[in-house]
């Protein structure tokens, strides 16, 4: 829960461009998101998101998974780094590593992910091509609580975009990314304001079970 003296703090884990991170940075700067972005951690040194963090004055760390002999050892090092910042939430924003159950449990109810599909459709990779190949009329992205099931935790906010004639995966991905930049700051704001909670394996909004994710359309 946040107050103006000590805003809710979030650590953001990335692997790449960090455009969702940028959406958080911009929302904080314009005053629509009352969150302190405490640290950004990437598993890849060349991730442009690290540069975005530094430009915004946010601590930016690289913890390269190749430097560790096991997934457990990598996750333990991330947890150690996070402990120095004591974030209220851990936000996965294009973080392309599967986290161990121990790590997931440690941040249960405090960790969000964004996945580029209308979950429960298309968990895993290559979602844009799969949606086009299936002849779907709609595609999109889902912000969800992270549980031990990959892309399986309860959804919070979903953004829908149309699939149009002649779409290819890149064009569709760009359309999806655009709506991600709206839904992720919105979902993080709900978490920071204490309006969204994770209890009994479900997402709750304002103390009511959330039967399906909040829907936003392009
Ligand atoms: C997003 O499409 C997200 O859904 C997926 O990875 C992409 C990250 O993009 N998990 P960015 O690094 O935030 O630009």
């Amino acid at each position: 829960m946040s107050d103006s003296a000590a805003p809710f703090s979030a650590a953001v884990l990335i692997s790449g461009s960090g455009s969702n991170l940028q959406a958080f940075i911009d929302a904080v700067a314009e005053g629509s998101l009352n969150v302190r972005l405490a640290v950004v951690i990437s598993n890849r040194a060349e991730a442009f998101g690290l540069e975005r963090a530094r430009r915004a004055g946010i601590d930016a760390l690289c913890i390269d998974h190749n430097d560790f002999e096991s997934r457990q050892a990598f996750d333990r090092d991330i947890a150690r780094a996070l402990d120095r910042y004591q974030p209220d939430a851990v936000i996965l924003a294009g973080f392309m590593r599967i986290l161990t159950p121990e790590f997931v449990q440690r941040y249960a109810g405090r960790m969000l992910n964004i996945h580029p599909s209308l979950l429960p459709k298309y968990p895993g990779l290559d979602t844009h091509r799969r949606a086009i190949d299936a002849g779907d009329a709609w595609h999109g992205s889902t912000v969800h609580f992270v549980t031990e099931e990959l892309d399986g935790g309860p959804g919070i906010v979903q953004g829908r975009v149309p699939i149009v004639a002649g779409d290819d995966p890149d064009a569709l991905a760009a359309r999806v990314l655009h709506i991600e930049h709206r839904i992720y700051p919105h979902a993080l704001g709900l978490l920071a304001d204490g309006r969204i909670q994770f209890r009994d394996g479900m997402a709750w909004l304002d103390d009511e079970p959330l039967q399906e994710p909040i829907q936003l359309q392009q």
Side-chain angles (χ1 to χ4, degrees):
M1 201 78 55
S2 62
D3 60 53
S4 51
F8 185 97
S9 68
V12 184
L13 271 51
I14 62 165
S15 298
S17 158
S19 69
N20 280 288
L21 165 67
Q22 189 67 52
F24 297 140
I25 292 169
D26 293 347
V28 170
E30 73 187 30
S32 58
L33 181 62
N34 186 25
V35 166
R36 188 171 65 84
L37 299 170
V39 61
V40 172
I41 302 176
S42 170
N43 65 308
R44 293 176 60 235
E46 65 276 23
F48 182 61
L50 288 173
E51 181 60 28
R52 297 184 193 267
R54 289 185 197 107
R55 284 181 195 171
I58 303 166
D59 283 4
L61 315 175
C62 173
I63 300 178
D64 187 335
H65 59 278
N66 294 305
D67 293 342
F68 298 86
E69 63 187 17
S70 69
R71 216 175 264 285
Q72 283 74 12
F74 170 64
D75 283 10
R76 275 197 297 271
D77 209 61
I78 295 195
R80 263 195 296 275
L82 290 173
D83 278 350
R84 294 202 296 274
Y85 292 89
Q86 296 287 316
D88 294 303
V90 174
I91 306 301
L92 309 181
F95 182 68
M96 299 304 285
R97 301 295 299 170
I98 294 174
L99 294 162
T100 55
E102 294 74 24
F103 190 94
V104 170
Q105 278 154 20
R106 188 182 176 112
Y107 298 102
R110 301 191 289 141
M111 182 152 59
L112 305 184
N113 181 42
I114 190 160
H115 179 74
S117 80
L118 298 173
L119 290 172
K121 279 189 158 190
Y122 313 126
L125 298 174
D126 209 16
T127 59
H128 310 303
R129 178 176 301 283
R130 287 155 71 197
I132 292 170
D133 288 352
D136 292 356
W138 293 91
H139 187 45
S141 192
T142 308
V143 179
H144 63 93
F145 281 111
V146 176
T147 62
E148 290 176 32
E149 188 188 347
L150 181 68
D151 302 327
I156 301 169
V157 186
Q158 208 158 55
R160 290 157 64 85
V161 300
I163 298 181
V164 300
D167 249 344
D168 61 44
D170 287 346
L172 183 54
R175 202 173 306 126
V176 168
L177 206 51
H178 193 70
I179 204 156
E180 289 191 335
H181 300 160
R182 287 175 52 207
I183 65 173
Y184 216 175
H186 182 60
L188 178 54
L190 292 173
L191 187 73
D193 291 344
R195 294 189 57 199
I196 277 280
Q197 293 177 325
F198 178 76
R199 285 203 309 268
D200 306 326
M202 297 173 56
W204 297 67
L205 173 64
D206 298 334
D207 277 326
E208 299 284 341
L210 192 59
Q211 306 295 354
E212 60 170 37
I214 300 160
Q215 301 290 324
L216 286 181
Q217 199 166 308
Q218 189 186 39

